[in-house]
Amino acid sequence: MFGNQGVTAPVSPFFSFDAGVSMKIRVVGPDAVFAILCILLAAAVLWDLRTVPPPVFDPIGSAAVPRALAWLMIAFSLWVLISGLIRKAKPAEGKGGRAQWAAMICVAAITLVYAVFITFAWLDFGIVSALYLFATITFLERPPYRQIPFILLLSTGIGFGCDHVFTQFFFIDLP
Amino acid sequence: MTPLIDSFVSLLAPLPFFFVALGTFLGISMGAIPGLSGSMLITLLLPLTYFMDTTHAIVLLIGIYTGTISGGLISATLLKIPGTPAAVMTTFDGFPMAQAGNPGRALGLGIGASFVGGLVAWIALATLSQPISDLATRFSPFDYFALIVMALVLISSISQGSMVKGLLSAILGTLFAIPGVDPSAGIPRVTFGWVSLNAGFNVLPVLIGLFAVGQMLTDIFEGERKGTVLRVNSGAMLMRLSDWRRQMVNLLRSSVIGTWIGILPGIGANIGSIVAYAVARNMSKKPERFGKGSEEGIVASEAANNATVSGALIPLVAIGIPGSVIDALLISALMIHSIQPGPLLFKQNSELVWAMISAALLSNILMFFMMSALVAPLSRLMRLPKNWLMPCIVVFAVIGAFAVNNRAFDVWVVLGFGFLGFIMNRAKVPLGPFIIGFILAPLAESKLRSGLMTTAGDWTPLVTEPLPLTLLLVSISLLFWPAVSGWRRRHSGRVSKE
Amino acid sequence: MQTAKKLLANAFLGAAIIGFATPAVAEWPTQPVQIVVPWKAGGLADSVARAFQSSIEENKLQSQPLVVINMGGHFSIGMRRVKEAEPLGKEFLLANIAIMAGEGSGVMDFGFRDFEAVAETGESCFVPTVRSGMGVDSLATLAERAKSGEPLIVGVNIGANNHVASAMLEDAFGNANFRYTQTGGDTANYTALKGEQIDLSFLSAAAISKFAFDEQGKIDESVIRPLAYMGTSRHPKLPDLPTATEAGFDASFCMPMWWFAPKGTPGESVSGLADVLEKAHKTERVQAFYEDRMIAPSFQRGDALNERMADLWRDIEPKAAQVRKGKSK
C-alpha cells in the first residue's frame, strides 16, 4: 500500500482527489532547498511586519493577514521539509551533472548582464537585445559555422524590429 | 430580437467586419505570445481609437478581448506558459497532451470549447444582463472572501503533486502579493523601506518570470534543449461529432460556471476556469487523467475562460460596472468617445450596446475560424528548438515588463521570479496555485477587512450566512478529504484501481 | 554630373542653414507627455484625463501626444511616482483634492507642497447618497437615523476624499454613529449601495450624473437617493436638491481636479502644459464633458492657484485629521 504510487479511483462521486500526501515518493534535495527558502521568506516578512503600526481604521489592521500567511507558510514548509527528510531520497529526474549546471548558470549570467545593460541604458534596446539573442542562441545551440550568419540576422531582426515597433507605435520607453 | 439581428448584420459590412477581425487576430497574437497581453495592447491603442468611429473602436477592442483570452490557449498548450493568468488551468492538460505528440488535438479541443463557452455566455449577455447584474451586486464582502478561499484550496488540490505543496505554493503566491501600499490603510508594508516596492509586484512580470524564464532555466538544467523530438501528429484535429457529443455536458456546465463567475467583478476571469476544471474533475469518470492530458480538463478550462469574457461584459452593459480589468479599459474607450457607461447605457446608446453584444458573438465566431486555420502550422511550432524560442520569449518578457510601468525594476522582477520558478520546478511545486494566490490574495484580504469593518470586527457572518458557510465547508472538506480517504483506504484494505 | 553635384551641395547648404536657424533648445514638449492618473481606468480622474487628451488631439493643441497612465492600487503610489520622477517636463500628475485628504488623514507622508502646481480644471462636489430602501429622504432624517443607535454603514475609500466628506457630515450631525467600511470610489460605492451592502456613501456629482438620472434627465430614485449637494450653491442640474448648508448642516466639500509637475520642473514646461490645458478647457468638447458630468467648469493656474490651494489646505487639514477619529466602533 505504501509502495503504491498510483492515483486512486474516486471513492465518492463528489470528491475524487488523489491522496498524494502519503503516497508519492519524492525528491529530497530541491524540496529542502525550497522549503528552507520559504521559511526564510516568511521570517523576513514577519520581521518587517514589526514596523507596521497597529490598526486604525479596521479591526484587524495591515499586519494580521500577512502574519497569518507567514506562519502558515512556515508550518507547511516544515511539513515539506520533514516529510522530505523522512522519505527515501530518489535522484531527481534529468539531474544535472556539471555540464547542466554550467549551462544553466551561463545562460542565467548572460540574462543578468542583459538586465543590467537595460537598467542602466548603456546601449540602445535594439542593440543589446540583438546581442543577447545572438549570445544565448549560439551558446545553447552550438551551431555549425554556416548557421551563425542566420542567427545573427534573426537576432538583429527581432531586436531592432521590436525596438522600433514598441517605441514608435506604442510609446513604451525602452532604453 | 430584431435589433440584435440588425446589429449583427450591420457588423458584416466591410469596415466594421474588418475591425472585429483585426481585433480578434491581434488579440490572438498577443495572447499567444508570452510576455505580451491583450490588456497591454488595448491600453496602448486607446488613444488611437480616438480617431475612429465609436462603434468601430469598441468592436475592435472587444475583438482583442476575445482574441487574447483565446490566444492564451496556444502558448499554454505548446509552451506550458500561460499567456494570461486565466490560461493557467489549460497548461495542466494541454501541455501534457501536446508533449505526448498530440498538440493539434489539444488545440482543436481548446478552440471548440472556447467557441462554445463564448456562445453560451453570449446568450446570457444578450438576454439576461439586467437580472444577472442585479444579483451580482448582492455578493457581500464575506461572500467574495469565502469564494476566493475556496478557489485557492481548489486549485491547490487539483494541481499535480502533493496537496501540501500545492497549498504551500498558493500561500507563497499570496505572500508575494503583500509587499506594497496596503490599499485599505494607505501604509506601505513588507517593502523593507524600498520605494520601488510600493506598488508591489505586477502580475505580468511575475507570470512571465515564473513560467517562461523559470521553464527556460529548468529545461536547460534538465537537458531538454533540443525541442520536442516527438513525432507530432500532423494536421489539425478539430473536434469531431463524437467529441462534441461526449463533451457536451462538460461544455455546457463549464460555460455556465464561467459565465456566472465571470460576472463577479474583479475575480471572474481568473477563477472561472479553476472552478469549472475542478467540477469537471469531480464529475469525470476518469479523474486520474486530469493533469496528464485529459480532454475534459482542456475543454472545461477553455470553455469557462471564454465564457468569462461575455460574463464580464454583462455588468458593464447592464449597469456600467466593469466586470474585469479589460472592461475598465473599455469604459475608458467609451469615455474617449464621450459616452458614459452607466445604467442608462442601453437606453441612451442602444445601437452601440447591440453592436458590443454582436461583436462579442462575431469575434467568437471569427476566433473559431482563425484559430482552427492556425492549428496545423502552430502544432509544428512544437518542433521549433527551444534554444531559439526561449531567448526570444525573454526579450518579449522584457518589453512586456517595460510596458507595465516604464521602469527597469520590472525586468528584475521577471528574472527574480525566473529563479524562483526554477527552484519550484525542481522541487516539483506546482506553479498554478502560486499565480492564482498572487492574483486573488489582495482581493480576499480587502474583502475580509471590509466585511469586518461592516460588522465591527464580528467574524460570525462567515459561518452564519449561507453562501460563505457553504463555500468554507467545501474548502475544509477539500483540505481534509485526501487524508481521510487515504486513511479509509489503508484501513479497509481495498486495492486501488489505476 | 556637375548638376547633380551642385544639387547635392545646395541641399547640404540648405540643411545647414535650417539646422543653424533652429533654436538651440527645442520647445516643450519634445517627447510624448505622460500624465499619471493614480486611479484605475474608468474612474472620474481617468475620464477627465481622457477628455483633455481627446480635445488636445482633436484641436491639435500640442505637437506631442498626451499619454495617460493609469496606476491602480492605492492612490499614493501614483502620486509618489510623479513626486520622485525626474523634473524633465515629461511626466505629470492628474490628482484631485485627495492629495490633501491623504496627507491630512495621515495615509500619505507627502502632499501638494512637494509638487509644482500646473492648473486646476473643473471641480466636482460631493453628494451624500443613501440606498433607496432605507426610508430616508433628507439629511435631517438621516441625522435622526444616525443618532438612533443602529450604526449607519458608510462606504468610503479610507483616507481619501469621500472619507473626509463623510467625516465632515458626521461631525456636523453631532453624536452620529457612522461605521466606516472600505469599499472604494464612486463605482464601488454605487455597486455596494445597489446591492444593499452599505447604507450611505458620498458620491461625486459626476457619479450622480452617471447613475441616478433617468432618460428624461430627472433624478431616478429607484436604486439610490441623493440627499444633498455639498457645494456652496445648488447645482443647476439638481435644482431640487438642497445644499447641506441649506439643510442645516455645515458641511461643504468639493473636489477640484489638479494637475501637478514634479518639484523643480522647468517653468517653461509647467506653463507650457498650463497653456495647453487652458486652451483645451475652453474647447467645446471639454465644456460639453463638464456639463454632462456636472463638473463646475473652473480654471486656475499660477499664483492664483497656489493661493487657492493654500486656503483650501487651511480648511481641509483639520477636517482630514478628524478622519482618524473614525475608527471602527
Side-chain angles (χ1 to χ4, degrees), chain C residues 94-111:
Chain C
L94 171 57
N96 53 46
I97 205 164
I99 201 167
M100 289 187 179
E103 188 185 359
S105 65
V107 302
M108 271 169 28
D109 60 359
F110 59 94

Side-chain angles (χ1 to χ4, degrees), chain C residues 70-183:
Chain C
N70 296 97
M71 291 200 68
H74 197 261
F75 59 86
S76 65
I77 298 173
M79 293 187 187
R80 189 186 295 274
R81 171 184 159 148
V82 179
K83 168 175 168 279
E84 285 161 7
E86 295 276 338
L88 300 171
K90 187 169 98 161
E91 198 164 305
F92 296 86
L93 172 71
L94 171 57
N96 53 46
I97 205 164
I99 201 167
M100 289 187 179
E103 188 185 359
S105 65
V107 302
M108 271 169 28
D109 60 359
F110 59 94
F112 72 102
R113 286 153 301 185
D114 296 290
F115 297 86
E116 310 271 2
V118 175
E120 171 179 317
T121 57
E123 186 177 49
S124 181
C125 296
F126 280 95
V127 177
T129 310
V130 292
R131 56 182 173 85
S132 298
M134 264 179 85
V136 165
D137 58 358
S138 68
L139 278 189
T141 339
L142 184 68
E144 267 173 45
R145 178 74 76 89
K147 295 189 246 200
S148 67
E150 266 293 301
L152 271 182
I153 310 294
V154 185
V156 293
N157 206 0
I158 297 282
N161 297 329
N162 52 19
H163 196 177
V164 173
S166 314
M168 282 171 125
L169 194 68
E170 184 185 19
D171 196 47
F173 278 0
N175 190 18
N177 194 355
F178 275 22
R179 184 181 289 172
Y180 293 102
T181 183
Q182 168 71 30
T183 40

Side-chain angles (χ1 to χ4, degrees), chain A residues 1-6 22-23, chain B residues 489-496:
Chain A
M1 288 176 287
F2 270 100
N4 184 354
Q5 293 178 48
S22 52
M23 290 306 206
Chain B
R489 240 190 331 275
R490 286 201 290 284
H491 284 256
S492 68
R494 257 187 285 174
V495 176
S496 320

Side-chain angles (χ1 to χ4, degrees), chain B residues 50-51 134 137-138 140 186 195 198 321 332 335-336 340-341 343-344 347 405-406 450 453-454 456, chain C residues 46-47 54 57-58 77 80 84 107 179-182 191 194-197 210-211 213 215 285 293 329:
Chain B
Y50 175 75
F51 299 104
D134 287 348
T137 60
R138 305 200 72 91
S140 76
V195 172
N198 275 1
I321 290 176
S332 282
M335 289 195 296
I336 287 177
Q340 193 178 187
L344 293 182
K347 296 197 178 110
N405 269 327
N406 269 339
S450 291
M453 286 170 85
T454 311
Chain C
D46 185 48
S47 66
S54 306
E57 283 287 346
E58 186 176 66
I77 298 173
R80 189 186 295 274
E84 285 161 7
V107 302
R179 184 181 289 172
Y180 293 102
T181 183
Q182 168 71 30
T191 313
K194 183 171 160 66
E196 299 188 347
Q197 307 293 335
K210 182 162 138 161
F211 292 121
F213 277 88
E215 305 106 85
R285 186 185 167 113
R293 300 301 196 97
K329 302 184 184 102

Side-chain angles (χ1 to χ4, degrees), chain A residues 88-137:
Chain A
K88 276 196 295 214
K90 171 185 159 192
E93 42 199 76
K95 178 181 168 194
R98 279 235 188 98
Q100 260 73 12
W101 271 111
M104 202 258 315
I105 290 174
C106 276
V107 171
I110 299 175
T111 314
L112 272 169
V113 168
Y114 179 43
V116 169
F117 267 78
I118 290 195
T119 307
F120 295 108
W122 286 330
L123 282 177
D124 183 60
F125 180 78
I127 300 176
V128 71
S129 298
L131 285 173
Y132 170 75
L133 285 170
F134 184 71
T136 331
I137 296 177

Side-chain angles (χ1 to χ4, degrees), chain B residues 62 379 424:
Chain B
I62 290 183
S379 313
M424 287 174 79

